[in-house]
Amino acid sequence: MSVNIESKLDNNFWNVDINGELDVAGADKVKTHLNSLIEEQPVDIKMDFTNLEYIDSTGLGALIGVLKRLKVNDKDIYVLNARKNVKKIFSITGLDKIFKVEG
């Protein structure tokens, strides 16, 4: 399964929906897309993971790279509506302390 991304700018946030699996096959696509959003307007990103079924270390690495670019402008990535298995990966890796993981 691949990853699908939808994004829109709303109230100084990029709202991004990521669907499918964020793994080695889709990590570059996600990273490129998110970096282009930051270049367009460097604001906080709200990522809705409602339909994200899986994330691996490559997917996490892509998100960390994007977060580093955002932090230069004192901005963050908010992870919203992550499934239990995805939240668990953020928790195990300690990334739940770096990203704003909610609901």
Side-chain angles (χ1 to χ4, degrees):
M1 180 178 274
S2 64
V3 64
N4 294 312
I5 313 159
E6 293 181 25
S7 56
K8 67 178 180 176
L9 186 62
D10 186 32
N11 293 328
N12 283 329
F13 279 94
W14 282 110
N15 289 305
V16 178
D17 294 336
I18 297 187
N19 305 311
E21 297 180 357
L22 182 47
D23 56 15
V24 68
D28 283 341
K29 177 181 176 181
V30 170
K31 186 176 182 177
T32 300
H33 182 83
L34 295 176
N35 281 330
S36 70
L37 297 180
I38 294 168
E39 286 190 22
E40 185 177 331
Q41 188 159 346
V43 295
D44 292 324
I45 297 176
K46 290 183 180 178
M47 302 188 78
D48 188 341
F49 283 178
T50 300
N51 296 308
L52 181 68
E53 298 169 15
Y54 174 79
I55 189 168
D56 71 1
S57 60
T58 311
L60 289 172
L63 295 180
I64 291 166
V66 171
L67 182 62
K68 284 182 182 178
R69 287 194 64 196
L70 280 173
K71 287 292 189 182
V72 170
N73 295 306
D74 294 321
K75 302 300 178 189
D76 280 304
I77 292 178
Y78 294 81
V79 174
L80 310 174
N81 306 315
R83 296 176 184 206
K84 275 187 177 180
N85 62 318
V86 173
K87 272 188 186 177
K88 186 175 182 178
I89 291 172
F90 276 84
S91 177
I92 289 170
T93 58
L95 293 175
D96 59 339
K97 310 230 182 334
I98 297 169
F99 290 88
K100 308 288 186 193
V101 180
E102 301 175 1

